[in-house]
Amino acid sequence: MSAALLAEVRAAGLDAGLDAVGVAPADRFTATRRHLEERKAAGLHGGMHFTFGNPDRATNPLASLPGARSIVVGALSYRRATVPPVPGRPAGRVARYSWDDHYGRLQRALGAVAGRLEVEGWRTRVLVDDNALVDREAAHRAGVGWYGKNTNLLLPGRGSWFVLGSVLTDAPLPTALPVADGCGSCARCLPACPTGALVAPGVLDARRCLAHLLQAPGEFPIEFREALGDRLYGCDDCQEACPPNRLEERRNPPPADDADEAWVDLLELLAASDEELLDRHGRWYIPRRQPRYLRRNALVVLGNIGDGADPDVEEALRRALADVDPLIRSHAEWAARRLGRDDLVQVA
């Protein structure tokens, strides 16, 4: 019965769009909890809450579904062909996992898995982008992939361009064995990080990670502003340097969908209202749901890639320098000086 049910569950997930399905036992992630606590104590979490906020819950599947016996893990690809920015306008780059609502697609696909289990009378709980479970560890235990040295999970022969999620269930499903490490001696991802955030194989210092800093409250650290380049949300550098991912790029990736947003017009963002920004980018993680942080990020990027002689850029800087929010003013001042427009700061 359990083997037949597993085949049905796997088929339901694949039919719903998942690229890989695996099953892990719903045991505690004891080693993972220790790693979370050690890295949090060392400050490597950089204030990040997510699974660091409650390591005991995030590493105990039974806390989310009492009586759970299995974790069905799904991986869904977000690989798309690269998209060039619109010429003539300063634009901020968006990490691929955020081009579209891939987590929404993953949620629906795992919902189909849960539905199949529930038809047979089993209880389920779907966890997607949720701090209640360390999804990479669940996926590793389910035989979906191995931990890369950049801390991402890599699927054999397919790389790391995947979002991960789980279905906890009390169904006693056959489980898989973890796959062997596939990185070997390769460590190309470590020097590829623009800020040296990968301090050791498999160890990330979030205090230096651009993807995390773009989602953190407060001032964007001045020492990392130039390194941010044109990144408005997320950073893909360590994945782009990974040989399995580079091989996948040569295998004709799917074209970008019409809904994919690989670039954001910085001048439009800086001119938009709070309501417009939340409507356009509300599925992103924005600290405290405050659009001021999107403007903060956009000003740093504008300072890196903008043209100080462009009248539209000048107007955007003037507005930001006159903003009532000191966070916006301070980042606008940095951007203006970086673009050689000290005169705007003196006027402000």
Side-chain angles (χ1 to χ4, degrees), residues 3-326:
L5 179 58
L6 173 59
E8 293 175 8
V9 164
R10 189 185 301 277
L14 297 175
D15 288 347
L18 296 178
D19 292 277
V21 178
V23 180
D27 300 331
R28 283 179 177 269
F29 302 170
T30 304
T32 304
R33 178 180 176 179
R34 185 178 68 253
H35 292 154
L36 288 174
E37 292 175 339
E38 290 173 351
R39 293 176 189 184
K40 184 175 181 179
L44 296 178
H45 69 311
M48 187 190 308
H49 183 75
F50 207 59
T51 51
F52 284 102
N54 190 339
D56 182 59
R57 181 184 65 169
T59 57
N60 180 15
L62 296 179
S64 295
L65 184 71
R69 286 186 275 187
S70 307
I71 309 173
V72 182
V73 179
L76 185 145
S77 174
Y78 59 85
R79 186 171 71 103
R80 298 284 190 276
T82 56
V83 178
V86 176
R89 297 280 291 184
R93 184 160 34 130
V94 178
R96 292 193 204 188
Y97 81 94
S98 290
W99 287 8
D100 198 0
D101 185 14
H102 302 296
Y103 280 111
R105 294 195 296 127
L106 177 63
Q107 179 90 37
R108 292 188 290 274
L110 289 173
V113 170
R116 187 68 195 85
L117 288 163
E118 290 167 1
V119 165
E120 298 296 329
W122 302 107
R123 292 184 300 121
T124 67
R125 180 174 176 183
V126 177
L127 297 177
V128 171
D129 195 24
D130 195 309
N131 60 15
L133 193 69
V134 182
D135 52 15
R136 284 173 301 169
E137 179 62 15
H140 174 62
R141 291 179 175 223
V144 172
W146 78 90
Y147 279 108
K149 292 176 182 175
N150 60 4
T151 77
N152 290 299
L153 192 91
L154 281 83
L155 277 65
R158 304 193 64 183
S160 62
W161 302 115
F162 294 87
V163 287
L164 306 170
S166 300
V167 179
L168 302 180
T169 179
D170 57 353
L173 298 172
T175 58
L177 294 174
V179 299
D181 170 72
C183 291
S185 61
C186 178
R188 294 185 187 180
C189 55
L190 273 68
C193 178
T195 58
L198 291 166
V199 295
V203 181
L204 177 76
D205 186 345
R207 296 169 297 188
R208 304 180 65 87
C209 176
L210 295 175
H212 170 62
L213 293 173
L214 286 166
Q215 298 179 4
E219 295 265 337
F220 195 94
I222 195 165
E223 65 268 28
F224 298 131
R225 291 182 188 178
E226 291 186 26
L228 186 66
D230 62 0
R231 303 169 188 83
L232 179 69
Y233 190 79
C235 178
D236 286 330
D237 285 33
C238 67
Q239 295 195 85
E240 290 173 344
C242 179
N245 284 340
R246 295 174 68 86
L247 180 60
E248 280 294 285
E249 288 300 292
R250 296 196 291 270
R251 291 175 175 165
N252 297 318
D257 293 335
D258 291 339
D260 285 341
E261 188 174 35
W263 299 89
V264 173
D265 188 304
L266 298 176
L267 301 182
E268 287 184 3
L269 186 157
L270 290 168
S273 67
D274 286 359
E275 293 75 16
E276 289 171 331
L277 289 178
L278 289 176
D279 182 60
R280 294 177 191 174
H281 308 295
R283 60 183 171 77
W284 291 357
Y285 180 79
I286 303 170
R288 300 166 186 158
R289 306 303 296 165
Q290 295 179 3
R292 66 197 296 244
Y293 292 112
L294 291 176
R295 298 188 181 98
R296 174 201 67 181
N297 298 345
L299 285 166
V300 177
V301 175
L302 185 63
N304 285 327
I305 68 168
D307 178 358
D310 184 332
D312 293 331
V313 171
E314 177 181 332
E315 177 58 27
L317 291 172
R318 287 185 184 277
R319 286 197 311 270
L321 286 164
D323 200 285
V324 296
D325 187 341

